[in-house]
């Protein structure tokens, strides 16, 4: 399956057929001859006009794309002149070009229309060289600090909103209801203003994540990390100095902007810096830092609850510490080689790649990045391109994975852990102490995931974690339904059982959907849509986080113990989804991930064909074309 150059005019020896990328060359036969697309057959021909103009610009590689873009029959040898009447003549005298042009319309749309490069066409994972280096370890460690701010803001909200001085100053209605002995246990914290304090952060993050996409693509991953750090700093300062509700929520909005930029840049940075065989574990540094932030926030709340009346200010203001570290670290970190090559700085990108891999033998990985970059540079609108059929599996995952992560119900427990435990009858100190325990469990369980994800794979962790979470949610719902009501408290023994079961739930989340809800979407997109894909992931995550944060207290009041059954049903759906639709991404190089979907039993049916080194990849349309050939 190849295309070769026409015989040299000086009578030299005919060139051997090339393969794949090297074999696709531009042909220009004006007023002399056409070329016959018969396999390795030569036949004389009378002269006639038969022209195929080459594409100017990028030398032989640009000429290759012109052949592809014009719809020339790939997989046939073009070896010699052919008669004007030949049914396979690749000139205007033949109808085959028009027929092939119709068949190739789908291939052209793969690049958003028009002529474009082909991207990665060959699996080179076995040729990758490199090891875990100190440069990668330090870069990932500093970058992952962005996750700690995200976690800190998740964990700090629930503790602060359970402190009496904070409620008395900003939410007096909730303060009076909380201390009333006649209020329904499930409804004492139901207040939209209090929910807005928590959820405004995530709505701002949703909007800013869409702005962060072009910044990440055009200026690099570091730029998003630095912008996120600066926004976090401003938000922390506004919150610690807040004198009214408006100033408090404005500070939360600035924190949300930081989350939008940080969650856009950090996971991409980690995925692109990490070696393929360690990418899962290193990418989970983001989630590990997030869980550490949650645990730290719970510890801070536990310590500041007795610092009346200003303890809540200290809790909110300490977010400035990791924000400063994130900002300074972002300025000192090296840019990822993928981003440098995409922005036309190939030599610098190769130097960075050699440094972070600890070897000069990076040709295979560099070639994958270069091919992916070539295609990426032809895409002017990644958000439009991401809707193309060839990106359908990644788009589905970018929407479903973060949505399912939130629909586990974990954020409801983490946001409102102190409030939730107080609702169940724990005292103020006991509720904060219980949330500290759940935060510690989440942190430790993430370490389990880091240690096993690149050995067991993503699917096994997601499915096993889902099953355990379903069981735990049902148990909590049964205990609350039988032993807890609107006007009665849990006994000490049942309270301990509830805390243990919730800890088991958090543990399952910590090794499965917690880290992998971020890891999988960040590693599956091709370079040309990676920033847009990550923006969609972050936006969906924050949208569902906003909805659940805003609605949870009202849902708790309305559903009572049924809220846990509601989340258990969603976990069942997502576990089945992973089993059926998610292929295993363990050990697959990030720039070759696009080839993985064509091997999946379902996704290969909905994807169009794709040019590979040895012919067209087998999407649904590809199989039809290949059979015809």
């Amino acid at each position: 399956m190849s295309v070769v150059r026409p015989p040299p005019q000086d009578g030299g020896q005919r060139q051997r057929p090339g393969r794949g990328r090297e074999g696709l060359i531009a042909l220009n036969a004006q007023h002399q001859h056409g070329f016959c697309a018969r396999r390795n057959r030569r036949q004389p021909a009378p002269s006639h006009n038969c022209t195929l103009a080459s594409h100017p610009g990028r030398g032989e590689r640009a000429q290759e794309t012109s052949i592809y873009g014009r719809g020339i029959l790939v997989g046939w040898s073009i070896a010699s002149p052919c008669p004007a009447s030949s049914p396979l003549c690749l000139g205007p005298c033949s109808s085959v070009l028009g027929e092939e042009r119709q068949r190739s319309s789908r291939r052209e749309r793969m690049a958003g229309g028009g002529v474009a490069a082909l991207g990665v066409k060959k699996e080179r994972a076995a040729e990758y060289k490199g090891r875990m280096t100190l440069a990668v370890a330090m870069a990932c460690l500093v970058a992952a600090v962005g996750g700690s701010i995200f976690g800190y803001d998740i964990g700090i909200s629930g503790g602060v909103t359970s402190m009496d001085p904070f409620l008395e100053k900003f939410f007096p209605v909730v303060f009076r209801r909380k201390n009333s002995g006649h209020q329904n246990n499930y409804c004492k914290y139901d207040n939209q203003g209090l929910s807005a304090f928590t959820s405004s952060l995530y709505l701002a993050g949703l909007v800013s994540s869409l702005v962060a996409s072009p910044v990440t693509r055009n200026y690099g991953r570091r730029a998003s990390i630095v912008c996120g750090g600066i926004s976090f700093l401003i938000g922390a300062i506004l919150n610690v100095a807040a004198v009214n509700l408006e100033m408090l929520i404005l500070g939360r909005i600035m924190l949300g902007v930081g989350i939008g930029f940080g969650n856009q840049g950090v996971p991409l940075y980690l995925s692109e810096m990490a070696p393929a065989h360690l990418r899962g574990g290193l990418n989970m540094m983001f989630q590990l830092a997030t869980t550490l932030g949650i645990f730290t926030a719970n510890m801070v709340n536990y310590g500041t609850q007795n610092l009346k009346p200003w303890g809540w200010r200290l809790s909110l203001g300490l977010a400035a510490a990791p924000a400063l570290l994130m900002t300074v670290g972002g300025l000192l970190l090296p840019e990822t080689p993928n981003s440098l090559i995409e922005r036309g700085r190939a030599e610098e990108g190769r130097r960075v790649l050699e440094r972070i891999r600890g070897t000069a033998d990076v040709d295979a990985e560099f070639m994958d990045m270069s091919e992916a970059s070539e295609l990426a540079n032809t895409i002017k609108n990644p958000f439009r391109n991401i809707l193309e059929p060839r990106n359908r599996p990644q788009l589905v995952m970018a929407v479903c994975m973060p949505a399912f992560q939130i629909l586990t119900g974990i954020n409801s427990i983490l946001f409102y852990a102190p409030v939730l435990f107080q609702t169940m009858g724990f005292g103020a100190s006991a509720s904060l102490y219980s949330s500290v325990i759940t935060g510690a469990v989440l942190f430790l369980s993430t370490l389990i995931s880091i240690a096993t994800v690149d050995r067991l794979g993503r699917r096994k962790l997601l499915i096993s974690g889902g099953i355990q979470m379903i069981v735990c949610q049902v148990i909590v719902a049964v205990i609350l339904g039988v032993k807890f009501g609107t006007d009665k408290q849990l006994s000490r023994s049942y309270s301990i059982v509830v805390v243990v079961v919730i800890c088991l739930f958090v543990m399952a989340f910590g090794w499965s959907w917690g880290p992998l809800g971020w890891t999988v979407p960040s590693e599956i997109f091709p370079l040309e849509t990676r920033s847009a894909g990550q923006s969609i992931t972050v936006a969906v995550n924050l949208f569902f986080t906003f909805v659940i944060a805003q609605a949870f207290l009202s849902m708790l009041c309305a559903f009572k113990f049924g809220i846990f059954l509601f989340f258990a049903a969603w976990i069942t759906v997502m576990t089945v989804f992973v089993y059926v639709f998610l292929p295993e991404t363990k050990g697959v190089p990030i720039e070759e991930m696009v080839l993985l979907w064509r091997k999946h039993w379902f996704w290969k049916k909905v994807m169009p064909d794709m040019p590979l080194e040895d012919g067209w990849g087998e999407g649904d349309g590809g199989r039809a074309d290949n059979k015809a050939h």
Side-chain angles (χ1 to χ4, degrees), residues 257-583:
V257 173
I259 284 178
F261 276 90
N263 287 15
Q264 163 77 14
V266 173
L268 287 187
Y269 188 91
L270 295 173
S271 286
E272 292 181 346
M273 291 292 284
H277 64 288
L278 297 174
R279 188 180 61 246
L282 289 177
N283 190 283
M284 286 182 182
M285 292 295 292
F286 178 77
Q287 177 66 15
L288 181 66
T290 300
T291 59
L292 181 60
I294 293 171
F295 175 70
T296 301
N298 289 332
M299 292 295 293
V300 168
N301 283 334
Y302 187 70
T304 59
Q305 63 176 326
N306 296 319
L307 299 178
K308 300 178 180 180
W310 52 271
W312 63 269
R313 293 188 185 273
L314 181 60
S315 292
L316 295 176
L318 285 177
L324 181 62
L325 182 59
M326 177 179 173
T327 304
V328 175
L331 293 172
L332 299 178
L333 290 174
E335 186 56 86
T336 69
N338 311 64
S339 178
L340 290 170
I341 295 170
E342 181 184 16
R343 291 183 285 137
R345 297 156 63 180
E347 292 184 4
E348 183 181 353
R350 181 170 182 115
R351 287 196 299 270
V352 172
L353 183 61
E354 291 176 355
R355 183 166 73 250
I356 64 177
R357 296 294 179 259
T359 177
D361 187 8
V362 294
D363 291 341
E365 189 169 3
F366 183 74
M367 179 63 74
D368 276 350
M369 290 181 184
S370 298
E371 290 180 349
S373 174
E374 186 176 79
L375 178 56
N377 288 330
T378 69
I379 305 302
K380 302 304 180 185
N381 192 330
F383 283 100
R384 181 184 302 167
N385 187 262
I386 208 171
L387 300 177
E388 294 295 325
R390 71 190 184 100
N391 289 317
R392 192 65 45 77
Q394 297 96 317
L395 179 60
V396 170
M397 294 300 162
V399 173
C400 291
M401 293 296 289
F404 287 154
Q405 184 192 54
I406 304 306
L407 289 171
T408 60
I410 187 65
N411 279 9
S412 303
I413 292 176
L414 297 178
F415 289 158
Y416 301 111
V419 171
L420 192 60
F421 285 127
Q422 282 193 29
T423 297
M424 295 176 187
F426 292 74
S429 297
S431 66
L432 284 171
Y433 184 70
S434 299
S435 64
V436 168
I437 294 175
T438 58
V441 169
L442 182 61
F443 175 75
L444 294 175
S445 61
T446 305
L447 294 176
I448 297 175
S449 187
I450 291 175
T452 58
V453 66
D454 287 312
R455 288 186 295 166
L456 299 179
R458 283 65 161 157
R459 282 170 50 87
K460 289 182 180 178
L461 293 181
L462 287 169
I463 293 171
S464 63
I467 293 172
Q468 182 168 322
M469 285 191 288
I470 293 169
V471 173
C472 292
Q473 293 273 30
V474 171
I475 291 175
V476 171
V478 170
I479 292 176
L480 295 183
V482 174
K483 297 296 182 180
F484 182 74
T486 58
D487 56 354
K488 60 182 179 181
Q489 307 294 325
L490 283 177
S491 66
R492 178 177 177 82
S493 59
Y494 279 107
S495 297
I496 294 174
V497 172
V498 167
V499 171
V500 170
V501 174
I502 287 180
C503 284
L504 291 174
F505 170 84
V506 170
M507 178 183 295
F509 177 86
W511 80 53
S512 60
W513 281 92
L516 292 172
W518 292 107
T519 297
V520 172
S522 72
E523 68 183 1
I524 60 175
F525 278 94
L527 184 60
E528 71 269 17
T529 56
R530 192 168 298 152
S531 60
Q534 185 65 16
S535 281
I536 292 173
T537 298
V538 174
V540 171
N541 181 284
L542 295 177
F543 172 76
F544 278 90
T545 302
F546 166 76
V547 170
I548 295 299
Q550 190 68 26
F552 177 72
L553 293 178
S554 297
M555 291 170 65
L556 181 64
C557 180
F559 289 3
K560 301 178 174 57
F561 65 88
I563 189 70
F564 294 96
L565 296 178
F566 171 81
F567 289 125
W570 276 110
I571 299 171
T572 303
V573 171
M574 65 188 71
T575 303
V576 173
F577 174 86
V578 168
Y579 181 80
V580 175
F581 295 113
L582 180 65

Side-chain angles (χ1 to χ4, degrees), residues 9 71 80 146 150 167 227 246 284 322 420 468 539 553 611 628-629:
Q9 300 298 321
S80 65
F150 183 41
L167 292 175
C227 289
E246 291 76 13
M284 286 182 182
L420 192 60
Q468 182 168 322
L553 293 178
H629 293 169

